[in-house]
Amino acid sequence: MAKLFIKLWLFLLATSFGSFQIQTRVFEWTTAQQHQERQRAPFLTTTAELVAHYMRDIPQSAWPAQFLALEGKLTYHTEIVALSNLQSLGISSETIQRIRDGEAVYFQDQKDQSITRSIGCLRIGNSEYAITSALPPYQPLLLFRVLTPRTFAWLTESLLYGSAVLLWLSLFWRDLKRVMHAAGAVGNGELDSSLSLSKGSALAPLAASFNQMTARIAGLLRSHKELTSAVSHELRTPLARLRFALSLSADTHAPDQRDELIRNMHRDVNELDQLTDELLVYSRLDRDAPPLQLGLIRVDSWLPRVIEDELAASHATGIDIPIHLGIQVEQVHGETKYLARAVANLIRNALRFAKTRVDIGVLATQQGYEIVVADDGPGIDPAFHEALFTPFARTDQSRNRVTGGCGLGLAIVKRVAERYSGNVQIATDAHLGTRIVMRWPTQPVTATQKAMR
């Protein structure tokens, strides 16, 4: 809002400055012309005086011939005028009386509202005639013959501001049509289309939000398609095992074999239940995550319970790996629900592949917080690090389907980290195992704050 106001204000300021310059130049030119006319006034009266003094000593009958011989040598237009005709020049009675008294007078003969003529006049001795010396009629700009200066100023500002608004609206309408075209393309299913506007455009923030929206929609549709395909594949295996176990149980009469089949079916049901739960969590984080409800939460209020639950679950499957906990910070910014889910997935993943121990650390850094989960398992090929954060991703045989899991654990961890404007990184070594670090800042940026930037 502030940037848009400043741009519009500067645009109007430039328009006002342009209007000021135009009016200043025009009025300066007009004033200069009028000043030049006033500067010539003494020359007019001097010329009239010279001619009047010359004619005063000549008989009146010889004036026409002498004046005709003298006229070609004069700079200004000079005439002999009867005193009785001076009133027809628009001269006031007071000025005519001054001329009759022998005073050299300068006046302006205004033929109409726009055209004037500067005249110098002096009476010839005691005669009833006077000499007039005049400049050519002064004609101001044609514009000022039609408009008064005040009307010209108003009209100039109106035209300039109107042109400025028209230019501004034209640029705005051009960008708005691009937005409408891009929105229509997205409505027709062209999700790969993007909206490109100049950084100085008033709609640039809208274009950025629009591109983020289309990218988000395209990503959601792509994720939906991938999940639909992957879920159908993931569900097929436990369902096939259940169907096979049910068919075997119908033909099995031995109690031991029947009990084993029932235990296998329970494991398959638990796998389906876990898969459904992980899918719901991932879908909630990926599509319609609730608003951030950040607060300072004590680490010891939820992390020990998560570790206890995961150890109990691993003991039930025959895994007996100790967990070593190191807490260097008492409180972190976050949400208990999602942090517990992310850490539980990291612990569950580490327990499956650890040989002798799992280490967990919670610490504060200059940038924010870190949760580190490390195991001493076989490690992961670095080529698979990025792929592990994709739903249902599988790596090499050292971490395959046999070890359990539904392939959504690290994908959920990544979504939780991104929810807090953070990230997840994997460091692995064939001899030291795998170390997964989840980082997020002290004050995560909300989606609304990102859109306002």
Side-chain angles (χ1 to χ4, degrees), residues 64-76:
Q66 292 295 327
F67 186 79
L68 184 61
L70 187 64
E71 187 177 15
K73 301 177 181 179
L74 299 175
T75 304
Y76 306 110

Side-chain angles (χ1 to χ4, degrees), residues 207-275:
S209 299
F210 180 87
N211 291 334
Q212 291 178 359
M213 178 194 70
T214 54
R216 178 66 174 165
I217 293 174
L220 288 175
L221 291 177
R222 184 169 56 253
S223 175
H224 175 74
K225 185 181 297 184
E226 293 173 353
L227 278 177
T228 302
S229 176
V231 167
S232 63
H233 178 75
E234 293 293 327
L235 291 175
R236 187 178 295 115
T237 300
L239 287 175
R241 288 200 300 263
L242 277 173
R243 187 179 294 108
F244 181 70
L246 284 172
S247 63
L248 286 179
S249 63
D251 300 330
T252 301
H253 301 287
D256 294 341
Q257 294 181 353
R258 185 184 295 272
D259 291 342
E260 179 65 24
L261 289 173
I262 291 175
R263 284 194 296 271
N264 290 336
M265 285 189 286
H266 276 296
R267 282 196 295 269
D268 291 333
V269 170
N270 290 335
E271 183 179 342
L272 288 172
D273 182 65
Q274 180 186 359
L275 175 61

Side-chain angles (χ1 to χ4, degrees), residues 289-413:
L292 281 175
Q293 296 179 347
L294 296 173
L296 276 175
I297 56 176
R298 293 186 60 85
V299 178
D300 57 9
S301 67
W302 57 274
L303 184 55
R305 185 175 66 252
V306 171
I307 295 175
E308 182 180 346
D309 292 343
E310 292 304 317
L311 283 174
S314 65
H315 290 162
T317 60
I319 299 176
D320 189 12
I321 301 292
I323 295 179
H324 301 272
L325 176 61
I327 300 178
Q328 300 181 15
V329 59
E330 294 182 355
Q331 296 178 321
V332 296
H333 276 92
E335 301 161 299
T336 301
K337 176 181 178 181
Y338 292 108
L339 285 178
R341 169 68 71 169
V343 174
N345 287 349
L346 290 175
I347 295 174
R348 191 178 308 132
N349 192 69
L351 287 172
R352 291 195 190 106
F353 307 109
K355 295 178 181 178
T356 60
R357 62 181 290 163
V358 171
D359 295 295
I360 301 176
V362 182
L363 57 149
T365 65
Q366 293 182 347
Q367 291 76 28
Y369 306 104
E370 288 185 0
I371 294 180
V372 183
V373 178
D375 65 68
D376 59 351
I380 307 173
D381 187 343
F384 293 104
H385 285 184
E386 191 65 29
L388 282 175
F389 297 110
T390 304
F392 305 111
R394 302 293 174 180
T395 60
D396 58 0
Q397 294 181 354
S398 65
R399 288 179 179 247
N400 54 27
R401 201 180 301 269
V402 176
T403 60
C406 59
L408 281 171
L410 289 180
I412 291 176
V413 173

Side-chain angles (χ1 to χ4, degrees), residues 12 76 79 83 111 118 148 180 218 242 256 303 394 434:
L12 293 178
Y76 306 110
E79 292 180 335
L83 295 179
K111 296 183 178 180
S118 298
T148 63
M180 295 168 60
L242 277 173
D256 294 341
L303 184 55
R394 302 293 174 180
T434 300

Side-chain angles (χ1 to χ4, degrees), residues 71-294:
E71 187 177 15
K73 301 177 181 179
L74 299 175
T75 304
Y76 306 110
H77 179 69
T78 306
E79 292 180 335
I80 300 176
V81 182
L83 295 179
S84 59
N85 292 333
L86 290 178
Q87 194 168 6
S88 64
L89 299 178
I91 305 176
S92 65
S93 300
E94 180 182 355
T95 303
I96 294 176
Q97 185 59 46
R98 290 167 56 195
I99 296 173
R100 285 185 176 276
D101 294 340
E103 182 180 349
V105 176
Y106 167 80
F107 63 93
Q108 288 186 329
D109 174 21
Q110 189 166 5
K111 296 183 178 180
D112 54 39
Q113 293 183 349
S114 58
I115 301 176
T116 60
R117 187 173 61 162
S118 298
I119 301 175
C121 184
L122 180 65
R123 183 178 182 181
I124 305 175
N126 295 322
S127 68
E128 291 299 314
Y129 293 90
I131 297 294
T132 62
S133 181
L135 292 174
Y138 167 69
Q139 297 184 5
L141 290 174
L142 178 62
L143 188 64
F144 288 127
R145 301 180 200 175
V146 180
L147 304 174
T148 63
R150 185 173 297 179
T151 305
F152 169 74
W154 173 83
L155 187 61
T156 300
E157 292 186 0
S158 300
L159 290 175
L160 285 178
Y161 278 105
S163 301
V165 172
L166 178 61
L167 176 61
W168 181 273
L169 289 178
S170 299
L171 296 175
F172 186 86
W173 181 250
R174 179 200 63 186
D175 293 341
L176 185 60
K177 288 179 67 176
R178 291 180 180 176
V179 174
M180 295 168 60
H181 178 75
V186 172
N188 293 330
E190 301 175 16
L191 296 179
D192 57 342
S193 60
S194 62
L195 180 58
S196 178
L197 298 179
S198 63
K199 293 182 179 180
S201 172
L203 298 179
L206 176 62
S209 299
F210 180 87
N211 291 334
Q212 291 178 359
M213 178 194 70
T214 54
R216 178 66 174 165
I217 293 174
L220 288 175
L221 291 177
R222 184 169 56 253
S223 175
H224 175 74
K225 185 181 297 184
E226 293 173 353
L227 278 177
T228 302
S229 176
V231 167
S232 63
H233 178 75
E234 293 293 327
L235 291 175
R236 187 178 295 115
T237 300
L239 287 175
R241 288 200 300 263
L242 277 173
R243 187 179 294 108
F244 181 70
L246 284 172
S247 63
L248 286 179
S249 63
D251 300 330
T252 301
H253 301 287
D256 294 341
Q257 294 181 353
R258 185 184 295 272
D259 291 342
E260 179 65 24
L261 289 173
I262 291 175
R263 284 194 296 271
N264 290 336
M265 285 189 286
H266 276 296
R267 282 196 295 269
D268 291 333
V269 170
N270 290 335
E271 183 179 342
L272 288 172
D273 182 65
Q274 180 186 359
L275 175 61
T276 303
D277 181 58
E278 295 288 296
L279 278 172
L280 288 175
V281 173
Y282 181 81
S283 176
R284 189 177 299 115
L285 288 170
D286 192 46
R287 292 175 175 80
D288 53 356
L292 281 175
Q293 296 179 347
L294 296 173

